[in-house]
Amino acid sequence: MSTNVIEPFSRGHAHDVRLDDTFDFLNTDDLENGFPLDRLPGLDDALAWFVRRGVIHGEGADRLRFQAAIDPLSAARDLARVRSVRGALREVADALADHRPPRPGALDTVNRALHARQVIELVPSSDGCVAVDHRHVGDPIDDALARLADPLVKELTSGQPERIRICDNDRCRWVFYDTSRTGKRRWCDMATCGNRAKAARHRARTRGSSDEPDLVSASPD
Ligand SMILES: [Zn+2]
């Protein structure tokens, strides 16, 4: 949810989360050379990522690290929660890209995450006007996950969810937003995945193979 509707800087900590942040979060469940690679292998990695993206305060992350050190089981549960919501959001993105209904369990998980959002409130700003700030009311991880889910909800209600895509490169499969004029982009990035696909097609042609998929709609933005 935007915290800068009235003025660009809120009094406290305007960590505005964009759809790109949401997709970056989903893409931490990554592939490397075609094999699954979790970019958030531990709770500490997840907390560091959340802090970098401004969805958790440094103090909140430190508190969770301290708790994790004395209670590894709760740390494991926290990490499982992060992965569960990430997986459920990915399922929703996949479903949108595939034009199919998401698995019911995924919606339940996303909905539970959304219910933990922070409270938005108006506060006096330094220039004597008014600003939007937010107050955390629950667990910092719940709050971070709700904030990361928000842009996807916003896209569904007032954006162009049909532009949510999954990269056609089987060794990538990143979620991305198609900003192309034609709305027919197939790769998260033409410079990497798109060119790799074109190079594979070229190699197949020079070998005389005819079983390569048709990639003619490859066009840069
Ligand atoms: Zn890609």
Side-chain angles (χ1 to χ4, degrees):
M1 179 175 288
S2 171
T3 57
N4 57 6
V5 177
I6 295 181
E7 66 167 30
F9 303 103
S10 84
R11 184 183 61 169
H13 32 256
H15 31 233
D16 203 11
V17 182
R18 299 165 304 133
L19 190 60
D20 280 350
D21 293 307
T22 304
F23 288 169
D24 288 348
F25 174 53
L26 301 189
N27 293 336
T28 59
D29 187 7
D30 204 359
L31 291 173
E32 190 159 275
N33 297 321
F35 293 97
L37 178 71
D38 196 335
R39 305 278 177 194
L40 306 178
L43 182 65
D44 201 41
D45 305 291
L47 292 174
W49 196 95
F50 289 157
V51 170
R52 277 201 303 278
R53 294 306 171 108
V55 294
I56 267 187
H57 298 281
E59 316 88 75
D62 287 343
R63 189 155 47 81
L64 288 164
R65 284 192 190 96
F66 179 73
Q67 276 173 12
I70 56 176
D71 185 358
L73 271 182
S74 91
R77 279 196 298 273
D78 285 344
L79 181 61
R81 197 151 38 107
V82 170
R83 288 178 171 165
S84 163
V85 173
R86 183 182 61 180
L89 287 169
R90 170 69 196 230
E91 166 62 12
V92 172
D94 281 351
L96 287 168
D98 294 345
H99 308 289
R100 62 168 173 81
R103 291 193 304 270
L107 292 185
D108 292 344
T109 302
V110 171
N111 288 337
R112 269 199 304 276
L114 288 170
H115 294 156
R117 70 183 61 213
Q118 79 288 347
V119 173
I120 299 294
E121 53 189 20
L122 297 180
V123 294
S125 66
S126 52
D127 65 357
C129 195
V130 65
V132 180
D133 204 346
H134 67 265
R135 184 159 46 87
H136 300 277
V137 291
D139 175 272
I141 290 182
D142 282 342
D143 190 42
L145 293 171
R147 289 177 58 71
L148 286 163
D150 256 350
L152 189 61
V153 174
K154 207 181 285 174
E155 195 62 30
L156 273 169
T157 53
S158 56
Q160 293 181 286
E162 69 279 5
R163 288 210 168 229
I164 295 172
R165 301 252 194 284
I166 308 298
C167 180
D168 245 14
N169 178 2
D170 280 339
R171 298 163 82 88
C172 172
R173 307 301 290 166
W174 272 17
V175 185
F176 70 95
Y177 191 82
D178 182 359
T179 55
S180 70
R181 189 176 41 82
T182 58
K184 291 181 177 168
R185 215 172 107 196
R186 296 174 57 182
W187 295 285
C188 67
D189 179 28
M190 266 312 290
T192 54
C193 290
N195 281 342
R196 199 175 303 162
K198 281 182 167 175
R201 179 180 57 173
H202 178 71
R203 279 196 302 276
R205 276 188 179 165
T206 53
R207 282 199 307 267
S209 164
S210 61
D211 56 359
E212 273 291 306
D214 177 23
L215 301 172
V216 286
S217 62
S219 60
D221 289 348

